Amino acid sequence: MQILSVASECYPLIKTGGLADVVGALPIALEKHGVKITTLIPAYPSVVAKTGEGKLLHKFKGLLFSDASLYKVKYQGLDIILLKSTELFDRAGGPYIDENGKDWHDNWKRFAVLSKAAAELASGAVKGVKFDLVHCHDWQAALTPVYMKFGNEQAQSTPSIITIHNLAFQGRYEAELFKYLDLPQEAYAMDCLEYYNDISYLKGAIKKADIITTVSPTYAQEILTPEFGMGLEGALHTRTNDIHGILNGIDNEIWNPETDPNLSANFSFKSLSPRSKNRKALEQIFGLKHSKAPLFCVVSRLTWQKGIDVLVGAFDDIIKSGGRIIILGAGEAELENQILNAARHHKGKIGVKIGYDEELSHLMQGGSDAIIIPSRFEPCGLTQLYGLCYGCVPIVARTGGLADTIIDANEAALNNIVATGFQFNKVSHFDLVQAIRRAIECFSDKPAWNKLQKNAMLADFSWEKSAKKYFNLYQSLTL
Ligand code: ADP
């Protein structure tokens, strides 16, 4: 089975969040099922620096009036097609934002062209290249099923899947831009792109893809409600029979505490004591005083979604309760400043690094005692899964994938030795602080804490089960 996967990020080539991890992991996980996934991503300069130019596959005569060509490369076991366009992708800055943190003004076009290129591939435009199914990820690839439905016979008859990694990002633009998308007028309609007199790329995919998946069973339910549906719950309700929630897995080769080269000391669930060396390394990196007090960490985008404002409000309580905290992240300027101020105020007890640092994120999971994830909504979440795997006990809000993956350390779960972390119900100051206090209390009972860590490390969130679910979906659409 030949699948074309379409996305704006793919680890280890380009990553801003969990989307990249999943897009990079799926091809490897599905290989065992005889599925060959080729991933189409934009040729950002940082990607080409890693892969090299590659082999020219196709030169388009112009996609939405932009220069565009496709190059084939292989990188660390992944089959990649790079979409090259000097006008759209050959620039410094991030995949979505410029160096000043502002969205690229032409994102609507950049990702419309990505989708158009994918649809062209599905339509047989490139000699000798044929796909049985197209799997699109998030709004950046969401026009693909729309272009396919309005494409030639081959494109129309090729099945498509849209996976929603985060419904908050929808690719919504003013209707004025529709005329540049090279689609027939009927695509600007209620059952396609039209959305409150604007256009929404994601709505187009929700209406036109054959199957919609999202990244956890709980989030698949939540997005049907006004609270989590972000305005698209109505559109999603028209597709309830086609929505599937499949949990993300983690790549146990990249995230393995026994072999991880980013750790100062490797360890396993059988021997947790080397973790203390990682803890010491973290104390040094973050300028904390050496102490036996529990060390909490946060590795996250610093945004409202992630509940970081509530976390900042809880800093004083964490310190008063005897905890310490280290934070790695980047995001909203105001939150970054609040965290930097708190670190200055609680010198030696709160440490912060603003920015993105893949290696450090591994060390934080391998040396901190617990990771705090107070998300207001969380489609799946990966950091709690990495936490489990590294014995860094997750303290999470009960929502989306966090609810699906962490077993709260209540009395019954502790007695039955199944608890893997702490959950709290609402993202409020009170509930968060309560959960942190419960963790600190448990931490003071060393045997109980060690059991919790071991349970966490034994929880299996490898890709195995989820890959099978994707395979079943692929099969159901292609047989
Ligand atoms: P989201 O995709 O919503 O940001 P996830 O939990 O699904 O959240 O995935 C986040 C991914 O990005 C994880 O792999 C996490 O380790 C990583 N990450 C987030 N922020 C940083 C950072 N500042 N430095 C390094 N890795 C980070």
Side-chain angles (χ1 to χ4, degrees):
M1 199 187 296
Q2 295 276 352
I3 309 279
L4 177 67
S5 169
V6 192
S8 54
E9 310 183 14
C10 176
Y11 183 86
L13 288 167
I14 174 88
K15 168 171 167 178
T16 72
L19 165 68
D21 288 347
V22 177
V23 172
L26 270 178
I28 316 282
L30 278 148
E31 215 168 27
K32 296 180 194 111
H33 296 275
V35 174
K36 182 169 175 214
I37 298 186
T38 304
T39 309
L40 172 69
I41 55 168
Y44 309 110
S46 59
V47 168
V48 180
K50 288 181 186 155
T51 61
E53 279 279 303
K55 193 169 153 243
L56 180 66
L57 185 66
H58 188 71
K59 208 167 166 53
F60 292 105
K61 291 213 175 76
L63 287 182
L64 311 185
F65 303 106
S66 296
D67 67 294
S69 38
L70 301 173
Y71 287 79
K72 241 180 120 70
V73 291
K74 222 171 154 82
Y75 191 78
Q76 296 190 5
L78 297 173
D79 289 291
I80 305 282
I81 297 180
L82 296 176
L83 171 62
K84 203 164 173 207
S85 168
T86 317
E87 177 201 332
L88 301 174
F89 300 117
D90 195 6
R91 52 179 85 160
Y96 319 117
I97 53 178
D98 65 20
E99 281 145 326
N100 301 316
K102 262 187 74 179
D103 277 357
W104 292 114
H105 69 281
D106 55 353
N107 274 347
W108 69 272
K109 189 177 188 185
R110 299 169 76 229
F111 297 109
V113 168
L114 175 69
S115 299
K116 181 83 177 144
E120 290 293 315
L121 280 164
S123 74
V126 180
K127 236 176 127 197
V129 179
K130 192 176 179 313
F131 294 101
D132 302 304
L133 185 148
V134 180
H135 188 163
C136 317
H137 298 271
D138 271 352
W139 76 268
Q140 296 92 342
L143 279 184
T144 309
V146 178
Y147 282 123
M148 286 166 70
K149 284 292 179 248
F150 291 100
N152 68 10
E153 213 179 305
Q154 184 171 330
Q156 282 181 34
S157 61
T158 304
S160 64
I161 295 181
I162 177 78
T163 293
I164 300 171
H165 296 261
N166 194 334
L167 197 57
F169 305 107
Q170 305 182 350
R172 181 172 176 174
Y173 297 105
E174 63 252 43
E176 185 57 21
L177 293 175
F178 177 78
K179 59 177 177 280
Y180 303 114
L181 294 181
D182 192 17
L183 281 163
Q185 193 56 37
E186 55 189 300
Y188 183 71
M190 274 281 278
D191 75 335
C192 194
L193 290 178
E194 194 277 331
Y195 183 69
Y196 296 106
N197 296 324
D198 283 340
I199 45 178
S200 160
Y201 289 10
L202 193 57
K203 185 184 166 212
I206 288 171
K207 288 292 189 176
K208 296 299 176 199
D210 294 284
I211 278 185
I212 300 157
T213 75
T214 187
V215 287
S216 70
T218 293
Y219 194 58
Q221 296 295 320
E222 287 175 341
I223 56 177
L224 293 168
T225 67
E227 194 186 347
F228 294 95
M230 307 259 163
L232 283 172
E233 63 276 12
L236 287 160
H237 261 285
T238 65
R239 302 293 314 272
T240 42
N241 290 336
D242 302 315
I243 300 177
H244 301 258
I246 304 177
L247 265 184
N248 287 335
I250 61 174
D251 187 326
N252 286 120
E253 275 184 28
I254 297 164
W255 291 92
N256 181 349
E258 293 184 47
T259 54
D260 192 334
N262 303 302
L263 302 184
S264 301
N266 292 110
F267 59 94
S268 75
F269 75 94
K270 288 185 195 137
S271 156
L272 285 162
S273 53
R275 285 187 106 261
S276 59
K277 204 164 164 199
N278 298 324
R279 211 163 177 274
K280 269 203 192 122
L282 288 171
E283 287 172 339
Q284 240 174 21
I285 291 169
F286 283 92
L288 301 196
K289 293 188 197 98
H290 178 54
S291 142
K292 287 206 155 58
L295 179 62
F296 299 100
C297 77
V298 172
V299 179
S300 179
R301 289 186 287 119
L302 303 177
T303 62
W304 180 87
Q305 178 205 333
K306 301 288 182 180
I308 301 300
D309 50 324
V310 181
L311 178 80
V312 170
F315 278 162
D316 287 348
D317 290 88
I318 295 173
I319 304 303
K320 254 192 250 150
S321 312
R324 303 169 304 156
I325 182 159
I326 52 177
I327 298 126
L328 168 65
E332 293 163 18
E334 200 179 322
L335 291 172
E336 290 183 358
N337 285 333
Q338 286 172 5
I339 293 170
L340 286 166
N341 283 339
R344 274 191 284 272
H345 185 67
H346 291 290
K347 217 163 177 274
K349 294 204 167 149
I350 297 182
V352 55
K353 297 272 176 219
I354 298 295
Y356 193 92
D357 189 334
E358 189 73 27
E359 286 87 21
L360 182 58
S361 76
H362 284 241
L363 183 63
M364 289 170 77
Q365 298 277 14
S368 310
D369 299 302
I371 182 162
I372 306 176
I373 312 171
S375 307
R376 288 193 166 85
F377 64 95
E378 193 58 77
C380 177
L382 289 174
T383 52
Q384 84 279 15
L385 302 182
Y386 301 144
L388 288 174
C389 186
Y390 280 56
C392 180
V393 175
I395 302 172
V396 305
R398 189 174 295 126
T399 185
L402 300 173
D404 288 334
T405 53
I406 304 302
I407 302 173
D408 181 59
N410 56 40
E411 279 299 309
L414 278 173
N415 289 340
N416 288 307
I417 324 182
V418 291
T420 57
F422 297 88
Q423 287 195 347
F424 54 96
N425 210 11
K426 264 205 332 261
V427 181
S428 68
H429 176 82
F430 180 81
D431 290 78
L432 173 60
V433 170
Q434 283 298 102
I436 291 170
R437 289 208 180 117
R438 283 169 62 212
I440 291 178
E441 198 185 318
C442 183
F443 184 80
S444 65
D445 177 350
K446 280 287 161 278
W449 187 261
N450 280 343
K451 255 188 220 143
L452 194 59
Q453 280 183 303
K454 281 185 186 167
N455 284 348
M457 293 182 79
L458 288 170
D460 178 14
F461 287 103
S462 61
W463 267 105
E464 212 85 342
K465 278 181 265 169
S466 300
K468 180 84 175 59
K469 289 185 181 157
Y470 278 110
F471 176 64
N472 290 344
L473 282 185
Y474 290 168
Q475 259 197 331
S476 72
L477 287 172
T478 53
L479 278 182

